[in-house]
Amino acid sequence: MNKRVKWSIIIMIGAGLIGGGIYSQLPKENEELTAADKVMTGRHNGKKILNVNAKIIKPQLLKDEIQISGSLLPDEEVDLSFETSGKIVEINFEEGSFVKKGQLLAKVNDRPLQAQLQRLVSQLKLAEDRVFRQNALLERDAVSKEAYEQVKTELATLNADIDLIESNIAQTELRAPFDGVIGLRQVSVGTYASPTTIVAKLTKISPLKVEFAVPERYANDVKTGAGLDFTLEGKLNAFHATVYARESKIDPATHTLTIRALYPNTNGTVLPGRYASIKLNKDEIQDALAVPSEAIVPEMGKDKIFLYKSGKAQPIEITTGIRTEAEVQVLQGLQAGDTVITSGTLQLRTGLPVTLDAVN
């Protein structure tokens, strides 16, 4: 290889290295700025125009709600058992059926008691006749008053013994204490039952109690008679209940107040024991002015929004009230009929030309 070819190769390599260094220092396109500029669709007096969405403010009903969880409880529930011991001779209910108050559900053997009752009842007529005769003799002074009082006491004692036996017989009968749905039975005919033996569970499911707890800061906001809505997993519709009772004090361990509401459950389709997601209405404000939460721009400890006026964005300072999931009440700074810009708020500046894409 001669010197001329060698130097030509060296010069070409050097030129390539120099060219690469110069290219690396050239300004590159900023992809983020390019993407941001895509929302600018035109120019107005040399200024870019921002495409935005807006909302025309109208008075509306605004609900101040608390989102909490709770559980559904039966209105009444009891484990059914006999008041006395004995062998079960009858079971008169079907599992899972509805029973009425006073309905005979089961019975233990009462034959010895029935025999005692029959013996006492057979003596009753004789004792009553004895009192009648002694009273007639007493009126003719043919018998002492003491003798009359004696037979009268014997009759009263006999009636008391009859009442006692009848009460003991009643204890051999298991009757429904209230209307409700009876659950699965835990005994069979022939089982020897005692007062500790659970026969079945009876549950009153109409109405249902909705129990929940609110943080102590809301304790005075939930009054008796307040309404609430709750939803259940797998159910699309909401259910309405009314607060009827509050616990007497705040729980010192959890710093919450336990509250109960009633849901009518007239058709009995909702079962107790379920988890409920509750929306509790603290307050309802008529003719409130509210803006979407994304329209508010915090700045130096204050809140402001941008209004659409004559094709430009104009900021105003506002005073806010209650907040819901999607909206914020505006107490000062906003008028009904104002058009509030709800998108692109971080790019807005005073007097920036804007174009409305969608207006709600």
Side-chain angles (χ1 to χ4, degrees):
M1 179 182 297
N2 56 36
K3 292 183 177 180
R4 180 177 296 177
V5 175
K6 182 177 180 181
W7 280 106
S8 297
I9 294 173
I10 293 173
I11 292 172
M12 291 177 63
I13 294 174
L17 292 173
I18 294 171
I22 295 173
Y23 177 78
S24 65
Q25 299 301 316
L26 292 176
K28 303 294 190 300
E29 180 183 17
N30 189 314
E31 296 181 357
E32 293 183 357
L33 292 177
T34 301
D37 287 342
K38 287 183 179 179
V39 299
M40 306 296 187
T41 59
R43 290 181 175 271
H44 180 72
N45 294 332
K47 295 183 179 180
K48 293 182 178 180
I49 301 175
L50 180 66
N51 285 40
V52 295
N53 298 328
K55 178 181 179 180
I56 299 176
I57 302 303
K58 300 177 182 178
Q60 65 183 62
L61 173 65
L62 196 63
K63 294 182 179 181
D64 189 7
E65 297 178 329
I66 307 173
Q67 292 278 356
I68 47 180
S69 60
S71 57
L72 301 183
L73 305 177
D75 186 44
E76 302 287 352
E77 187 173 60
V78 66
D79 288 328
L80 298 171
S81 60
F82 289 99
E83 296 181 70
T84 188
S85 299
K87 182 183 293 186
I88 298 176
V89 294
E90 293 180 21
I91 294 180
N92 301 318
F93 65 87
E94 293 183 5
E95 297 169 291
S97 64
F98 181 83
V99 297
K100 300 288 290 183
K101 179 179 179 180
Q103 180 178 332
L104 180 62
L105 304 176
K107 187 173 178 62
V108 298
N109 182 28
D110 66 348
R111 291 181 63 182
L113 294 173
Q114 291 289 355
Q116 293 180 40
L117 178 62
Q118 186 176 357
R119 179 174 61 82
L120 294 175
V121 170
S122 65
Q123 298 173 9
L124 185 60
K125 184 65 170 63
L126 180 60
E128 289 174 343
D129 290 344
R130 187 179 297 118
V131 171
F132 178 79
R133 289 194 300 271
Q134 291 292 327
N135 184 52
L137 293 173
L138 180 63
E139 290 177 351
R140 297 195 299 271
D141 293 329
V143 69
S144 66
K145 187 174 183 180
E146 182 180 358
Y148 170 72
E149 292 295 337
Q150 178 66 35
V151 295
K152 188 177 179 182
T153 301
E154 291 174 356
L155 176 60
T157 302
L158 183 60
N159 279 320
D161 289 341
I162 291 174
D163 289 342
L164 177 60
I165 296 299
E166 288 178 341
S167 296
N168 290 336
I169 292 175
Q171 291 182 344
T172 67
E173 298 175 344
L174 181 60
R175 296 183 179 273
F178 49 80
D179 296 351
V181 177
I182 197 164
L184 305 179
R185 62 183 173 94
Q186 308 299 318
V187 296
S188 301
V189 173
T191 300
Y192 185 85
S194 69
T196 60
T197 303
I198 305 300
V199 176
K201 188 183 294 292
L202 180 63
T203 305
K204 184 178 181 181
I205 63 174
S206 297
L208 286 180
K209 297 174 182 177
V210 185
E211 183 175 279
F212 57 95
V214 298
E216 59 183 351
R217 66 180 179 273
Y218 296 130
N220 294 326
D221 295 329
V222 185
K223 307 293 185 182
T224 301
L228 62 86
D229 293 320
F230 66 92
T231 55
L232 303 173
E233 185 178 356
K235 300 282 187 180
L236 297 178
N237 57 311
F239 305 88
H240 185 74
T242 304
V243 174
Y244 78 93
R246 296 157 33 109
E247 186 56 271
S248 58
K249 68 173 186 177
I250 292 174
D251 188 330
T254 61
H255 295 282
T256 59
L257 179 69
T258 301
I259 298 173
R260 284 183 178 178
L262 278 182
Y263 168 62
N265 198 29
T266 51
N267 53 11
T269 56
V270 179
L271 296 179
R274 298 197 62 176
Y275 168 89
S277 180
I278 300 169
K279 285 185 178 180
L280 184 65
N281 295 329
K282 286 176 52 185
D283 194 12
E284 290 187 357
I285 303 174
Q286 301 287 341
D287 298 328
L289 299 180
V291 298
S293 55
E294 62 268 20
I296 297 179
V297 180
E299 187 176 274
M300 303 294 291
K302 299 180 180 180
D303 293 325
K304 69 177 183 179
I305 58 176
F306 284 89
L307 301 182
Y308 174 82
K309 290 188 176 181
S310 302
K312 296 182 179 181
Q314 296 295 332
I316 60 168
E317 184 179 323
I318 60 172
T319 302
T320 60
I322 66 171
R323 293 175 178 264
T324 67
E325 291 183 355
E327 295 181 310
V328 179
Q329 181 191 15
V330 177
L331 300 177
Q332 294 181 351
L334 188 65
Q335 302 293 329
D338 285 346
T339 301
V340 176
I341 298 174
T342 59
S343 67
T345 52
L346 297 180
Q347 298 169 271
L348 294 174
R349 299 293 182 270
T350 302
L352 179 69
V354 292
T355 298
L356 300 182
D357 282 345
V359 180
N360 296 328

